[in-house]
Amino acid sequence: MLYQAVRPLLFRLPAEPAHRLTISALKTLPMGRPAPPEPALAQRVAGLVFPNPVGLAPGFDKNAEVADELFDLGFGFVEIGTVTPRPQEGNPKPRLFRLVEDRAVINRMGFNNDGAQAVAERLGRRQGRPGMLGANIGANKDSPDRVADYAQMTRIMAPLANYLTVNISSPNTPGLRALQDESALGELLDAVIEARAAHPTPIFLKLAPDLARSDIDAICRIALDKRLDALIVSNTTITRPGLRSPLGRETGGLSGAPLKALALERLRDFRLASGGQIPLIGVGGIATVEDAWERIRAGASLVQIYSAMVYEGPGLARRIVRGLAERVRAEGLTSIAEAVGSA
């Protein structure tokens, strides 16, 4: 209710300054005590126990500035990043847009971040604290060897995070999505797995929703062959499905409500192509308990949210977690794991 009161004031600011203000507020304002855990919502994925299946997608806390505060908002896991080896400014501003009429966001941020050294120092200072934290890793825009960038990021981040996400699906770094091609993907994953060395840190792969069925089949074959720990479906889309906002003409990746149907379809495609042999994490257009439940029944072991918080506020994670617990009880299940892929 408080957020709904202040949202009109926040929306008077351009989207990116408003986001920076939100990060500052999280650093200074008390978030309250986390809700007690719901044992029926705990999920085991890649050998890790997530206290609940609702995570924060990367892009919100790019530089690992407020991870602990975000756990206080009820998230079962938080993914920071995307982080690149060297700091980079990202694309020219403005590069973040609210499509209010569509309850959507377009971004063309371009992996703006403080770089591996600064983020690693922050993660090093929080080691030993509770909370399931993932690190989303990428390559610098001007890198002459992007595979080497991912290997370097793996070596740096593997000791500091509970899991790593290899992000090759952002539409805002030219040529990055080409790493989803079959031959390039195999080479990339071999380099990442070798760079992980003795660390047991699970490796997740984040994928675009704008993939052909043949691409999905190939990616699943490689993921199973390389024994990846999970696939994240999906990143933002370059399509523009029936937008009403005039800002819908902006270039970049679209997230929020208009992505919901496409992301759900791709999740089902990956579930079918993988035969349920690899865990899936559902992302894109999740704004309600019903959205999260539908994604879980379609095959997602975990879900992530971000853009919906722009419109629903910081209490969204708690509301979805509470609603999922109620749904598990109403269905007569002992664990939410029983609902995964049940549709």
Side-chain angles (χ1 to χ4, degrees), residues 209 211-221 266 269-270 273:
L211 291 167
R213 183 54 193 261
S214 59
D215 296 325
I216 294 170
D217 291 339
I219 288 168
C220 286
R221 285 196 304 270
R266 286 295 167 269
D269 289 341
F270 273 98

Side-chain angles (χ1 to χ4, degrees), residues 114-196:
D114 292 345
Q117 181 177 346
V119 174
E121 288 174 359
R122 292 186 188 116
L123 293 181
R125 288 194 293 270
R126 75 165 302 277
Q127 279 201 299
R129 297 179 189 171
M132 191 64 63
L133 185 138
N136 187 293
I137 60 174
N140 283 109
K141 181 178 181 179
D142 60 354
S143 173
D145 188 342
R146 287 178 173 170
V147 171
D149 276 16
Y150 282 98
Q152 179 183 355
M153 289 305 306
T154 300
R155 285 189 291 270
I156 294 169
M157 293 295 169
L160 299 171
N162 295 109
Y163 69 86
L164 300 181
T165 295
V166 178
N167 185 359
I168 55 172
S169 51
S170 170
N172 300 317
T173 297
L176 188 73
R177 286 188 171 189
L179 291 172
Q180 295 176 126
D181 296 343
E182 189 169 358
S183 59
L185 181 57
E187 178 188 354
L188 170 66
L189 293 177
D190 283 341
V192 167
I193 291 166
E194 182 180 0
R196 179 180 57 176

Side-chain angles (χ1 to χ4, degrees), residues 18 24 84 91 133 143 163 187 206 209 219-220 227 250 281 285 302 320 341-342:
S24 298
T84 57
N91 292 321
L133 185 138
S143 173
Y163 69 86
E187 178 188 354
K206 183 158 186 170
I219 288 168
C220 286
R227 298 185 179 181
E250 294 289 346
I281 300 170
L302 306 169
I320 293 178
S342 61

